[in-house]
């Protein structure tokens, strides 16, 4: 029961200011129609087992590919971090006898800023790659078609962006982006 002098509840057309043209709902309901029922009846035990095994093989391939991407990210982050600290240590020993440790700190900050700049440029190129990606994937799984959420370009931007964010010293984790990465690989 809504009184005439009260504003409409949240979610009604009067207070919706978000653009809706880029988002559309997907329908994932199985159609329980006559052709579908006929197809199910025609499945033999052999084809059922084949489809069952094929599903598990696909799930395993998606998991292995996502794990390999995570391994590559971790490997490159370790290499970039080692390179960064080797450079800073080299100049620290070179500049330390003169008492000028500030230059070493500025060098470290400059390298971290360079890594952060690469990550920022990647999110400017593909904005949906910013953040963890979990809310976008939850929307996608609930039937909302978010533009560009499961593209190869998003995968590359997400993986390289998280790589440079972690190597740049940001307090970010790789767990959320790996969920998004796995969803892209699965799509």
């Amino acid at each position: 029961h809504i009184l005439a002098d009260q504003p409409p509840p949240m979610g009604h057309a009067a207070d919706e200011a978000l653009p809706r043209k880029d988002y559309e709902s997907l329908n994932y309901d199985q159609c329980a129609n006559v052709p579908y029922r006929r197809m199910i009846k025609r499945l033999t035990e052999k084809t059922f087992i084949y489809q069952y095994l094929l599903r598990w093989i696909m799930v395993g391939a998606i998991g292995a590919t996502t794990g390999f991407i995570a391994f590559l990210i971790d490997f490159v982050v370790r290499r970039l971090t080692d390179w960064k600290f080797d450079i800073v240590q080299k100049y620290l020993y070179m500049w330390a006898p003169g008492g000028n440790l500030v230059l070493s700190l500025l060098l470290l900050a400059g390298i971290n800023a360079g890594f952060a700049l690469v990550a920022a440029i990647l999110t400017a190129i593909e904005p949906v790659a910013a953040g963890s990606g979990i809310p976008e994937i939850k929307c996608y799984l609930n039937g909302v078609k978010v533009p560009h959420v499961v593209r190869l370009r998003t995968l590359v931007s997400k993986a390289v962006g998280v790589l440079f964010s972690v190597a740049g010293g940001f307090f970010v984790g790789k767990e959320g982006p790996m969920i998004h990465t796995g969803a892209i690989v699965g799509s």
Side-chain angles (χ1 to χ4, degrees):
H1 178 325
I2 298 176
L3 299 175
D5 59 343
Q6 291 181 340
M10 293 294 290
H12 286 275
D15 71 334
E16 291 183 7
L18 295 175
R20 301 283 185 206
K21 67 180 176 108
D22 293 336
Y23 301 96
E24 64 183 57
S25 180
L26 303 173
N27 189 359
Y28 289 112
D29 292 336
Q30 279 188 348
C31 297
N33 53 27
V34 175
Y36 178 74
R37 280 186 253 143
R38 283 186 196 144
M39 185 201 67
I40 295 296
K41 285 182 182 177
R42 276 185 281 182
L43 279 178
T44 64
E45 185 177 347
K46 185 177 179 180
T47 57
F48 177 77
I49 291 171
Y50 174 74
Q51 286 182 354
Y52 183 77
L53 289 175
L54 190 61
R55 285 182 190 143
W56 277 107
I57 290 169
M58 287 301 296
V59 167
I62 290 167
T65 305
T66 305
F68 182 70
I69 292 170
F71 169 77
L72 285 178
I73 289 172
D74 196 46
F75 180 78
V76 175
V77 165
R78 187 172 305 275
R79 295 293 170 243
L80 286 174
T81 304
D82 288 345
W83 172 79
K84 174 177 66 174
F85 286 125
D86 286 346
I87 294 289
V88 170
Q89 186 177 18
K90 173 185 163 187
Y91 284 102
L92 179 66
Y93 289 141
M94 186 170 58
W95 292 328
N100 201 347
L101 299 177
V102 173
L103 292 176
S104 300
L105 179 62
L106 290 176
L107 178 64
L108 178 64
I111 292 172
N112 284 341
F115 288 164
L117 182 64
V118 171
I121 288 171
L122 287 169
T123 57
I125 292 170
E126 191 64 55
V128 78
S132 73
I134 295 174
E136 290 85 0
I137 295 303
K138 285 172 74 175
C139 287
Y140 186 78
L141 291 175
N142 282 319
V144 178
K145 185 178 180 245
V146 181
H148 312 298
V149 77
V150 288
R151 290 191 337 180
L152 181 61
R153 185 169 153 179
T154 304
L155 172 67
V156 171
S157 295
K158 174 75 73 177
V160 176
V162 77
L163 183 151
F164 278 101
S165 296
V166 172
F170 287 134
F171 293 110
V172 294
K174 296 176 275 187
E175 295 81 10
M178 290 316 301
I179 291 169
H180 192 180
T181 300
I184 295 171
V185 169
S187 72

